[in-house]
């Protein structure tokens, strides 16, 4: 009888843990910033005090900073608008808004108008260089986390998983970062690499910034919800954040029902957060949808 009660208790605890991960809303709002050099500052962006707000600096890239950038095997350099988004500005925004955290994103789409490739010379060398160079940048800029946004690869999925997994593990172990996210999208090669990473190191990844704006611009609410369910399955147990772009892009836009879909997910307790690409593009529009996103996340949280 005692054994049965213990078994039942353990099963109940496991069920509650599962529910806590997969069926909970969050007030997390995240926004990429600095990639397009449009003079946007942290202080330009409206911040709702009832949200947890993450700025994500875009990008740190392991390429040289020469006129013709080339892969640097894990030696990262700053490629965001550091003039407007400097260490002093990071400290200032965090002092003004205690719930704000600032991360940096690795990789991105392009560097020097060419694709930015994940191209390590060796796993050990890349990890060693990446830990060293990123630790320096993170400490200099007073950052809290990293985001993985490699989109082009000249290495197989196993190498990608090992490099990125070991990087996240080491930075967390060394207390350099407190969270990590990944930013995949619906592309066969991209998904192959990120799902390999998730399978081996998903327990170290706090958020999945899935780029839902990479889907077709004709996406409707029901399609969007199906896409969300697919990614919940692909990244099982993960906190999948929903997203849109304030640039001219694809996916489900606010005008076509994005917030309707968010409210439906919230009723299901599956709204793990919202992120936007990007503050650079939103500046000219007065950050209208940043305000709306945060209001939705803050309401009745």
């Amino acid at each position: 009888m005692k054994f049965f009660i213990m078994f039942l208790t353990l099963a109940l605890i496991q069920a509650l843990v599962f529910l806590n991960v997969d069926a909970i809303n969050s007030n997390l709002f995240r926004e990429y910033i600095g990639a397009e050099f449009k003079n946007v500052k942290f202080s330009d962006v409206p911040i709702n005090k009832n949200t947890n707000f993450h700025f994500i600096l875009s990008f740190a890239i392991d390429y040289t900073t020469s006129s013709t950038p080339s892969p640097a095997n894990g030696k990262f350099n700053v490629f965001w608008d550091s003039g407007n988004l400097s260490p002093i500005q990071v400290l200032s925004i965090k002092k003004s808004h205690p719930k704000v955290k600032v991360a940096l994103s690795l990789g991105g789409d392009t560097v020097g108008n060419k694709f930015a490739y994940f191209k390590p010379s060796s796993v050990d060398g890349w990890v060693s260089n990446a830990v060293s160079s990123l630790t320096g940048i993170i400490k200099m800029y007073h950052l809290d986390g990293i985001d993985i946004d490699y989109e082009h690869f000249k290495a197989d999925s196993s190498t990608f998983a090992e490099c990125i997994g070991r990087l996240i593990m080491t930075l967390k172990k060394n207390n350099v970062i407190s969270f990590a996210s990944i930013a995949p999208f619906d592309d066969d090669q991209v998904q192959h690499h990120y799902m390999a990473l998730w399978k081996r190191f998903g327990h170290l990844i706090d958020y999945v910034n899935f780029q839902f704006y990479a889907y077709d611009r004709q996406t409707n609410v029901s399609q969007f919800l199906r896409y969300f369910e697919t990614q919940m399955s692909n990244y099982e147990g993960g906190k999948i954040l929903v997203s849109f772009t304030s640039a001219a892009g694809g996916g489900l836009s606010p005008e076509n029902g994005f917030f309707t879909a968010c409210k439906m997910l919230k009723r299901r307790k599956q709204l793990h957060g919202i992120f936007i690409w990007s503050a650079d593009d939103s500046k000219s529009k007065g950050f209208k949808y940043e305000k709306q996103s945060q209001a939705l996340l803050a309401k009745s949280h």
Side-chain angles (χ1 to χ4, degrees):
M1 185 66 176
K2 284 184 179 180
F3 176 78
F4 176 74
I5 292 171
M6 287 175 62
F7 176 80
L8 197 62
T9 303
L10 181 61
L12 179 60
I13 291 171
Q14 288 176 329
L16 288 171
V17 169
F18 177 80
L19 285 171
N20 186 50
V21 172
D22 286 0
I24 187 168
N25 292 322
S26 167
N27 66 344
L28 177 61
F29 177 79
R30 316 185 89 203
E31 180 142 42
Y32 290 88
I33 188 169
E36 296 172 21
F37 289 79
K38 293 184 178 179
N39 295 317
V40 65
K41 299 178 176 66
F42 297 122
S43 56
D44 293 334
V45 184
I47 298 171
N48 187 316
K49 66 180 182 180
N50 294 316
T51 61
N52 287 312
F53 194 116
H54 291 182
F55 283 108
I56 306 175
L57 294 164
S58 313
F59 291 94
I61 313 175
D62 55 331
Y63 269 62
T64 62
T65 56
S66 64
S67 57
T68 55
S70 58
N73 194 39
K75 295 179 181 177
F76 283 84
N77 288 296
V78 169
F79 282 87
W80 67 77
D81 183 4
S82 57
N84 287 299
L85 305 166
S86 68
I88 292 173
Q89 271 96 23
V90 172
L91 280 178
S92 178
I93 197 66
K94 290 170 75 171
K95 184 177 180 181
S96 300
H97 298 276
K99 287 187 176 181
V100 166
K101 297 185 183 299
V102 185
L104 59 77
S105 189
L106 310 184
D109 183 28
T110 61
V111 57
N113 297 317
K114 295 182 179 180
F115 286 153
Y117 285 100
F118 177 75
K119 189 181 179 182
S121 300
S122 69
V123 171
D124 289 344
W126 190 94
V127 172
S128 176
N129 289 337
V131 168
S132 177
S133 59
L134 287 172
T135 297
I137 294 170
I138 289 164
K139 289 186 174 181
M140 179 186 295
Y141 278 83
H142 317 286
L143 305 179
D144 304 286
I146 63 171
D147 174 67
I148 311 301
D149 189 24
Y150 280 103
E151 302 185 1
H152 309 284
F153 307 91
K154 288 192 174 178
D156 61 30
S157 60
S158 178
T159 300
F160 177 72
E162 185 70 13
C163 285
I164 300 300
R166 283 172 55 183
L167 170 65
I168 294 171
M169 181 170 58
T170 305
L171 292 178
K172 282 193 167 186
K173 182 180 177 182
N174 294 346
N175 294 315
V176 176
I177 61 172
S178 58
F179 59 84
S181 59
I182 57 175
F185 56 94
D186 191 39
D187 170 270
D188 287 347
Q189 186 186 41
V190 168
Q191 291 279 60
H192 186 63
H193 280 72
Y194 280 92
M195 288 170 68
L197 171 62
W198 184 260
K199 184 175 181 180
R200 292 169 63 183
F201 295 98
H203 61 288
L204 296 173
I205 298 166
D206 301 279
Y207 314 107
V208 179
N209 277 17
F210 198 83
Q211 298 183 48
F212 287 98
Y213 44 85
Y215 286 108
D216 188 270
R217 68 170 56 210
Q218 303 303 319
T219 298
N220 60 37
V221 171
S222 60
Q223 287 172 324
F224 183 90
L225 294 172
R226 286 199 298 273
Y227 297 151
F228 180 83
E229 291 299 327
T230 297
Q231 302 316 323
M232 286 281 285
S233 175
N234 286 338
Y235 300 95
E236 187 176 359
K239 293 178 181 176
I240 315 294
L241 275 65
V242 293
S243 59
F244 65 90
T245 177
S246 52
L252 180 62
S253 68
E255 295 89 348
N256 291 335
F258 176 80
F259 292 114
T260 299
C262 287
K263 289 172 184 175
M264 294 173 74
L265 290 174
K266 193 168 188 177
R267 285 195 292 271
R268 299 177 188 177
K269 298 191 180 301
Q270 291 182 320
L271 187 60
H272 305 303
I274 297 171
F275 76 90
I276 299 176
W277 175 274
S278 66
D280 302 54
D281 297 301
S282 296
K283 183 179 179 181
S284 63
K285 301 170 185 176
F287 300 102
K288 173 183 177 181
Y289 295 124
E290 279 77 359
K291 296 173 186 174
Q292 193 170 347
S293 296
Q294 292 177 74
L296 173 63
L297 291 167
K299 185 179 179 182
S300 302
H301 175 67

